[in-house]
Structures are given as C-alpha cells and as structure tokens.
C-alpha cells in the first residue's frame, strides 16, 4: 500500500518548505513529517491543539534555519535525511476512536515507505497511534516522554476511555510499549486526583519529576535515560508543556516551573546515541499562543529531532568547509 492510495492525507504547507510527497520511498526520504491535527475536545477550556501542525510549519519557514554552528553537529540534517512532508492526516476532532485508527494507518504507511515518522500534533492522544504503528515495526518499543504530566491517569483501559490524560495508561495496557524501559520526565504541577505518580509507577514506568534536574544536573538525568532505555528502539514523545509557560504559553495544559528553552534543547541534544525510531511533538495550541512563541519553539524542537534522526541512521552528512 502506498501513501497515495490510502486517501488519508490532506495537502498542506510544509515544514521548512521541504517537498510534499505521498511517496517518500520514491523521493529517497529517510524521515518524513506527518501532521496529526487532532483535538479530543476533552479539555474543559483549552482547545485548539488541532491547529498545532499548521502553526509549527508556518513558524518553521520564518524562524528556523538548517545549520547549528554552536555544535559539533554543524551540518544540514534536512538534506542528510532527504526530509519530506506527507501532509496532514484527515481526521475529525472529537471522534477519538475513528481518528486514532486513521492516524495509525497513516503513520504505518510512512514507516512502510522506509521513512522515520516525525509527528506534529495535535493533543496528546496523537501519541497513541504513533506508539501503535511504531510497536508493530519495532517490537520491545520504549518511550521517553517529556511532559509536565504523566498522561497515565488511573482511568481508562479501552478505546472509549482514551483521552489526553490516559494516553500512557492505555499504551501500557495495550502493550504498545514496554513500561520497564520507558520514562516520564519533566513532571510537576497539580492534578485532579491523588496518587498519579504512584499509579504511573504501578504500570511499570519510570517517573522522574522535574526537580531532579535541579538536584542532579542534565548529565546525570541523561545517564538515567540511557541506563533505563539501553539499546531498545525508542520513541521520543515531546509534550510542549514540559517547557515553562514563560517560553511556551500556547499549550494544552500549562504548568509553572517548567524547562527553559535552553534546558530543553540541551536535553534533546543529549539524547544522541539512543536507538531512536520515531518522534512526535504535541499540544501546541495556537489559540493560546503569544506571538507564535510556542509554535516557533516546537519547530525548533523538530529540527533537533532531525539532527537526532540523522545521527541514529548514520546520516550525519558533511560538515561545512573550513574557511
């Protein structure tokens, strides 16, 4: 099955202006942007994450550049990957079960084409079809989840109960990921129910509250990630509310005391060397953004994912020449 035959995709403006195609294999692409513009509509007030993919793409073309001269990784990952954008999956916000099925099929088609999927959300539910599709291609899948919340609340267990608060309890119950090699990092803030961290641990996940970053430092946190994940194939799930609202106000569920942009980008760069097989960035909510700050930062996170994908695939490319 080719992407063109699925009827799942809609034409969009692309991330960083890369080519849009429904045939990544023919384009020789090793990675592909896939828009997942889905909003469950379950939040009592803050909706609009379905507009996230469009906002991220728009800010990427205005504010993101390919090279990173502040790093030894000063090459063009977009060229190295032959990055393409396959457009947005045609989903209907609020229709969770049907939309998850369509996103799963679309992501699976990208993986079957030989491209590593980089998903643009959308609320946190979009990570479920990412894990579904990746788990079939990569048994024993681990997840490294950056978020201010575990999204593994003590409720749910079947499709009708799936919502942004139960994404990872659902994934554990369905065995899309192996919780024993999976982590939730960045956790902080308040919750509607007690015992959320204990419940998440009871599912087998590792839980690292954000305060550990202050206590241990970034190098130690990165070592903890590596010690748990090892060489397992890993999906990097990045909820933009792991950042502080001062740098990412336009998110689904903001919480004060989060990562600075510098801290977050440093941690992402430190993931190099893990066996990464897919990525998503979710919960960018333009209806609550300020001057496109969150979308711009999300677009920058996606560029960092491209560097990681290139490294994971051994495609780091040529460095710029010495002058």
């Amino acid at each position: 099955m080719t992407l063109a035959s699925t009827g799942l995709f809609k034409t969009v403006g692309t991330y960083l202006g890369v080519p849009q195609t429904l045939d990544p294999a023919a384009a020789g692409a090793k990675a592909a942007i896939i828009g997942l513009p889905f909003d469950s509509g379950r939040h009592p007030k803050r909706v609009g994450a379905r507009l996230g993919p469009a906002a991220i793409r728009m800010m990427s073309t205005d504010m993101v550049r390919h090279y990173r001269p502040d790093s030894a990784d000063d090459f063009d990952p977009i060229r190295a990957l032959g990055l393409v954008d396959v457009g947005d999956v045609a989903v209907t916000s609020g229709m969770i079960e049907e939309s998850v099925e369509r996103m799963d099929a679309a992501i699976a088609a990208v993986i079957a084409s030989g491209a590593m999927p980089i998903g643009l959300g959308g609320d946190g539910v979009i990570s479920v079809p990412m894990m579904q599709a990746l788990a079939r291609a990569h048994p024993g899948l681990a997840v490294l989840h950056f978020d201010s919340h575990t999204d593994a609340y003590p409720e749910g267990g079947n499709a009708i109960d799936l919502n942004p608060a139960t994404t990872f309890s659902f994934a554990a119950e369905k065995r899309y990921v192996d919780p024993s090699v999976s982590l939730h990092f960045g956790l902080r803030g308040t919750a509607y129910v007690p015992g959320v961290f204990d419940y998440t641990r009871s599912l087998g996940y590792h839980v690292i509250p954000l305060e550990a970053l202050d206590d241990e430092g970034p190098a130690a946190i990165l070592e903890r990630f590596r010690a748990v994940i090892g060489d397992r194939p890993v999906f990097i799930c990045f909820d933009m509310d792991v950042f502080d609202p001062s740098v990412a106000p336009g998110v689904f569920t903001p919480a004060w005391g989060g990562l600075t942009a510098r801290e977050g980008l440093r941690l992402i760069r430190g993931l190099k060397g893990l066996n990464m097989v897919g990525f998503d960035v979710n919960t960018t909510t333009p209806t609550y953004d300020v001057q496109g700050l969150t979308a711009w930062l999300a677009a920058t996170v996606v560029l960092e994912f491209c560097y990681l994908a290139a490294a994971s695939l051994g495609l780091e490319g040529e460095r710029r020449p010495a002058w």
Side-chain angles (χ1 to χ4, degrees):
M1 178 177 68
T2 65
L3 272 70
S5 68
T6 64
L8 292 165
F9 294 91
K10 298 186 293 185
T11 302
V12 296
T14 69
Y15 177 77
L16 279 178
V18 301
Q20 181 165 0
T21 180
L22 291 180
D23 196 347
K30 300 300 182 184
I33 301 292
I34 178 168
L36 306 168
F38 180 74
D39 196 321
S40 300
R42 297 294 183 88
H43 196 286
K45 295 182 179 179
R46 296 175 75 95
V47 296
R50 65 187 179 275
L51 304 174
I56 293 168
R57 289 182 174 111
M58 182 178 71
M59 293 306 294
S60 75
T61 57
D62 287 346
M63 303 300 294
V64 180
R65 303 167 183 86
H66 295 205
Y67 290 93
R68 204 170 62 191
D70 63 341
S71 166
D73 296 326
D74 188 16
F75 70 99
D76 184 350
I78 309 307
R79 178 177 294 180
L81 292 166
L83 187 70
V84 298
D85 191 324
V86 299
D88 280 355
V89 183
V91 294
T92 302
S93 289
M95 299 183 64
I96 296 178
E97 187 171 2
E98 175 186 315
S99 295
V100 166
E101 290 177 0
R102 291 180 68 82
M103 288 186 282
D104 176 20
I107 296 160
V110 169
I111 295 169
S113 77
M116 188 182 296
I118 302 175
L120 308 182
D123 70 22
V125 165
I126 65 104
S127 299
V128 166
M130 288 290 297
M131 289 183 280
Q132 283 179 300
L134 286 167
R136 289 194 298 270
H138 304 282
L141 183 71
V143 61
L144 176 53
H145 178 215
F146 290 82
D147 198 333
S148 63
H149 315 89
T150 67
D151 292 351
Y153 278 61
E155 58 177 307
N158 55 59
I160 197 168
D161 294 319
L162 176 59
N163 62 68
T166 62
T167 295
F168 288 95
S169 46
F170 185 85
E173 188 161 316
K174 297 295 184 180
R175 299 185 179 181
Y176 298 147
V177 297
D178 182 348
S180 72
V181 290
S182 299
L183 305 101
H184 301 266
F185 168 76
L187 312 174
R188 64 188 191 279
T190 56
Y192 286 113
V193 296
V196 172
F197 288 4
D198 288 341
Y199 181 76
T200 302
R201 291 188 183 100
S202 78
L203 297 173
Y205 290 112
H206 298 257
V207 171
I208 306 179
L210 186 59
E211 63 186 14
L213 181 65
D214 294 328
D215 295 340
E216 303 175 31
I221 294 297
L222 289 165
E223 282 306 310
R224 289 178 67 177
F225 294 167
R226 296 179 192 283
V228 171
I229 296 168
D231 61 358
R232 288 290 191 95
V234 59
F235 161 54
I236 308 299
C237 175
F238 201 95
D239 188 316
M240 287 296 293
D241 74 24
V242 75
F243 288 113
D244 192 76
S246 59
V247 296
V251 294
F252 189 66
T253 310
W256 287 110
L259 294 175
T260 67
R262 179 173 59 187
E263 288 170 336
L265 296 176
R266 178 180 179 183
L267 287 168
I268 295 171
R269 293 180 183 188
L271 302 179
K272 184 178 177 181
L274 293 177
N275 179 20
M276 286 161 281
V277 296
F279 308 83
D280 78 29
V281 59
N282 60 69
T283 76
T284 297
T285 308
T287 46
Y288 289 89
D289 208 358
V290 178
Q291 298 294 320
L293 284 175
T294 309
W296 177 17
L297 185 51
T300 303
V301 167
V302 172
L303 180 67
E304 296 295 340
F305 288 167
C306 291
Y307 278 104
L308 292 176
S312 191
L313 295 170
L315 300 169
E316 293 180 89
E318 296 182 4
R319 272 54 177 178
R320 61 186 296 178
W323 300 106

